[in-house]
Amino acid sequence: CTLPYSPREIYGVESCAPANANQPGPTATITELMYFNEYSTLKEDNKPEVQNEIHYCVRRDHALVRQAATFITSGKIVDPCGSDRCVRQSAVCLDDDDEQKDNDNDDDDDDDGR
């Protein structure tokens, strides 16, 4: 299933509620980031024209790292997308010492897991 704040609907995949204080949430989910610049340049064959940093950036995205940490420590799947719906302007990753502007959800610690 996909979580409520996913950047887009995925055909044939239902939506489900994330874990919160009252429910355990799903046992599996698809968490998608939308890198707008890279997505908008995809051709019909869905292959990028040039090498990009998307897969590297996904592993470093603060919201997804927190989602993984929550799952590892509690077994719960929370929705990391919050108010930004996991939309990023482009796949430009910052060094570990830099802060991720606009990619960091501070509101995902709410009681409903978002």
Side-chain angles (χ1 to χ4, degrees):
C1 65
T2 60
L3 297 169
Y5 288 113
S6 295
R8 65 189 179 115
E9 289 184 25
I10 299 174
Y11 179 78
V13 179
E14 64 185 46
S15 181
C16 59
N20 63 35
N22 300 318
Q23 65 179 20
T27 56
T29 186
I30 297 171
T31 299
E32 179 180 38
L33 290 179
M34 172 70 72
Y35 292 104
F36 185 77
N37 291 348
E38 288 77 9
Y39 183 77
S40 66
T41 61
L42 282 177
K43 295 180 179 181
E44 284 188 34
D45 64 7
N46 207 26
K47 294 181 182 178
E49 289 186 35
V50 295
Q51 176 111 7
N52 60 51
E53 299 294 319
I54 289 175
H55 291 96
Y56 179 68
C57 291
V58 166
R59 292 189 300 269
R60 296 180 56 148
D61 189 87
H62 292 196
L64 296 187
V65 169
R66 280 194 308 273
Q67 181 191 39
T70 300
F71 178 74
I72 290 167
T73 59
S74 72
K76 293 183 176 184
I77 297 176
V78 296
D79 192 342
C81 297
S83 62
D84 72 0
R85 301 189 66 87
C86 284
V87 174
R88 312 295 187 246
Q89 188 60 42
S90 66
V92 176
C93 300
L94 302 172
D95 292 334
D96 289 334
D97 295 333
D98 294 335
E99 290 188 28
Q100 278 189 317
K101 290 184 178 179
D102 299 329
N103 288 359
D104 201 358
N105 291 329
D106 292 330
D107 61 347
D108 63 356
D109 294 328
D110 293 344
D111 288 340
D112 66 353
R114 293 184 211 162

